[in-house]
Amino acid sequence: MIFDRRSALFGAAACGMAQLFSKPSWAAIPERRLAFRNLHNSEHIDICYFSGGRFRRDGIAELNHFMRDWRTGEAIRMDTSLLDTLVHLQAATGADKRAYFTLISGYRSPKTNGRLHRNSTGVASKSQHMLGKAVDIRLKNIRLTNLHKAALSLRAGGVGYYPESNFVHVDTGRVRHW
């Protein structure tokens, strides 16, 4: 019951605060966009997923489809905090805003993850990939070591460094690294 009252009070306060900002103020919030190339199927995407102070359904839907399990075609709603983390990560590296991420792995279906886990010690049985909260990436023109350091500096979740496979794992789970 206390949780419900707090939630209601917080929601009312947030609505009240929103009225303090005019529509032009919301519109001034910078857009957020991401560009990707999929390593496995060569698909490319450059999409705005946030503008005018809100997430864009069309942009989120396109990113969800792009980050699907490329082995099965299954998709899930990706964590928008993960998307925002990638925007912050790009900024933290000093990369050109037009630089694209190479996506090695986004969403993984439980079937795919289970198969990969059985064949590799580097795949967690309860991977954040299955929740739409993780990506394995590279960033164009950014050294992998710099991408790794920038990801750690954000303290936004888990960060894995895989120099032998040439990618960095980023997730929005608890803060940890390996």
Side-chain angles (χ1 to χ4, degrees):
M1 192 67 133
I2 293 172
F3 178 75
D4 291 335
R5 287 183 194 153
R6 283 185 183 160
S7 296
L9 288 172
F10 179 76
C15 287
M17 291 294 289
Q19 299 306 313
L20 296 175
F21 299 101
S22 64
K23 285 189 180 184
S25 295
W26 283 112
I29 295 173
E31 76 173 15
R32 297 178 207 152
R33 66 183 315 115
L34 288 167
F36 285 99
R37 180 181 68 86
N38 188 303
L39 179 70
H40 303 287
N41 61 21
S42 299
E43 290 178 352
H44 292 262
I45 191 171
D46 182 346
I47 195 77
C48 174
Y49 71 92
F50 183 95
S51 64
R54 59 178 46 138
F55 289 104
R56 296 176 50 149
R57 287 184 194 190
D58 59 337
I60 297 292
E62 287 187 56
L63 284 167
N64 291 340
H65 176 73
F66 183 84
M67 294 180 156
R68 72 193 178 278
D69 182 333
W70 62 271
R71 293 167 183 89
T72 67
E74 294 174 63
I76 193 173
R77 181 173 171 83
M78 298 300 289
D79 183 2
T80 54
S81 295
L82 177 64
L83 304 177
D84 288 345
T85 297
L86 293 174
V87 169
H88 294 303
L89 181 56
Q90 187 173 33
T93 63
D96 183 304
K97 288 186 178 183
R98 293 168 296 183
Y100 62 83
F101 287 96
T102 298
L103 180 70
I104 288 91
S105 184
Y107 170 67
R108 281 191 213 136
S109 68
K111 179 180 177 181
T112 294
N113 198 77
R115 187 170 34 114
L116 293 172
H117 175 69
R118 284 188 297 279
N119 296 326
S120 170
T121 58
V123 176
S125 63
K126 295 182 181 179
S127 172
Q128 295 289 310
H129 286 277
M130 295 189 302
L131 304 173
K133 295 183 173 195
V135 290
D136 297 335
I137 53 167
R138 293 191 289 258
L139 182 55
K140 185 178 182 195
N141 297 328
I142 301 297
R143 291 181 51 198
L144 199 64
T145 56
N146 294 342
L147 182 62
H148 176 239
K149 288 176 188 174
L152 289 171
S153 75
L154 295 177
R155 298 193 48 78
V159 177
Y161 184 50
Y162 297 90
E164 66 286 348
S165 300
N166 196 23
F167 72 84
V168 172
H169 168 97
V170 177
D171 70 50
T172 54
R174 63 181 171 78
V175 176
R176 67 214 187 282
H177 62 89
W178 57 96

